Amino acid sequence: MKETPLEYTPVDLSRWARKEHFEVFQSFAQCTFNQTVLLDITTLQKHIKEVGWKFYPTIISLISKAINNHAEFRMAIKDDELVTWNEVHPSYTIFHNETETFSSLWSHFDGNIHHFQEVYSEDVARYGHNLSYWPKGKSPGNIFFISAIPWVSFTSFNINVANMQNFFAPMFTLGKYYNQDGKILLPLAVQVHHSVCDGFHVARLINELQEMSDDILRLSEEEYR
């Protein structure tokens, strides 16, 4: 589909291969589905330590890069029409120890993991001590969600979304990573709406995340040039 000067592109349902599937999962079979995996971040962690990055913004940027590679994770209903955002940005949680609550903060992602380290640091420095739910103001429509539970690992995680019919933004949850058999493993849960994607699409996304984690040195050098 041809790019428009707007921030989204309408989906031509008549030409979309998932038209029938979309209609089924928008009617009597409304559902989201979740997949929890262990991401091997051994190489990623080594690189992070060598270059002095922080883990949270790094994994957020990798997820953001993978998400923006695929239209099925950038879909939304806009003015009663199915559209694909031209780009989406991460909305992530920041925990406040003093109140044991969290804030929802979003940052712009331009496709470059180096740039995102700076953007993330600037946003957290400016808004990280604000205890309100949306310290930066309510997030825009073209976002997806990331939250972290760094205090415990898990083998399964599920979010029960009420009124989920048109809630298409993917949701990622990170658990506490740990060492096992010489590897560092990160529990990662992905929740999506079945109207816009299937298990194949989530599997492809997870495999790409693993590939990027394994090949972080090359990816980082290419972006730095």
Side-chain angles (χ1 to χ4, degrees):
M1 289 178 290
K2 187 178 180 179
E3 185 92 351
T4 71
L6 303 175
E7 60 180 351
Y8 59 84
T9 303
V11 176
D12 184 352
L13 291 176
S14 67
R15 297 187 178 185
W16 190 30
R18 293 194 79 261
K19 176 180 183 294
E20 184 178 3
H21 299 71
F22 176 76
E23 292 171 346
V24 167
F25 290 113
Q26 278 291 90
S27 54
F28 65 89
Q30 293 182 37
C31 68
T32 61
F33 70 90
N34 174 279
Q35 185 169 357
T36 303
V37 300
L38 292 175
L39 200 67
D40 183 350
I41 59 169
T42 309
T43 302
L44 179 64
Q45 275 289 68
K46 180 181 178 181
H47 181 74
I48 287 173
K49 291 181 179 180
E50 289 176 350
V51 299
W53 286 353
K54 294 181 179 178
F55 174 76
Y56 198 29
T58 302
I59 196 68
I60 291 174
S61 64
L62 292 183
I63 293 173
S64 299
K65 181 176 281 291
I67 283 287
N68 276 284
N69 283 339
H70 301 287
E72 59 267 16
F73 299 112
R74 294 184 277 112
M75 290 186 166
I77 296 294
K78 182 75 171 174
D79 299 325
D80 297 322
E81 182 179 32
L82 181 65
V83 304
T84 303
W85 297 114
N86 291 356
E87 60 183 21
V88 290
H89 308 285
S91 174
Y92 50 91
T93 56
I94 298 293
F95 186 72
H96 305 294
N97 289 307
E98 60 271 39
T99 57
E100 297 185 348
T101 61
F102 70 91
S103 293
S104 183
L105 185 62
W106 69 275
S107 293
H108 184 271
F109 179 73
D110 69 355
N112 187 295
I113 58 179
H114 293 271
H115 295 168
F116 190 77
Q117 294 283 332
E118 301 172 4
V119 172
Y120 171 91
S121 296
E122 291 172 359
D123 280 338
V124 171
R126 183 173 181 180
Y127 303 105
H129 299 291
N130 187 325
L131 302 180
S132 63
Y133 189 90
W134 283 303
K136 193 177 177 179
K138 195 170 182 179
S139 55
N142 57 333
I143 60 167
F144 67 96
F145 301 93
I146 298 178
S147 59
I149 309 175
W151 310 277
V152 65
S153 295
F154 52 75
T155 56
S156 180
F157 190 89
N158 183 66
I159 298 175
N160 299 308
V161 182
N163 303 317
M164 64 184 180
Q165 183 175 5
N166 292 330
F167 189 86
F168 298 158
M171 306 178 75
F172 294 82
T173 305
L174 314 174
K176 180 181 180 180
Y177 56 78
Y178 58 93
N179 288 278
Q180 180 175 292
D181 300 327
K183 298 180 179 179
I184 305 175
L185 302 177
L186 172 71
L188 173 66
V190 186
Q191 184 149 321
V192 295
H193 201 295
H194 219 338
S195 288
V196 292
C197 65
D198 306 316
F200 165 82
H201 304 101
V202 174
R204 178 170 61 188
L205 179 78
I206 291 171
N207 288 335
E208 286 185 6
L209 276 174
Q210 186 61 70
E211 291 170 4
M212 285 192 288
S213 297
D214 292 340
D215 207 18
I216 184 63
L217 178 59
R218 180 192 60 79
L219 180 63
S220 176
E221 288 178 344
E222 286 182 354
E223 290 190 349
Y224 193 72
R225 294 193 188 112

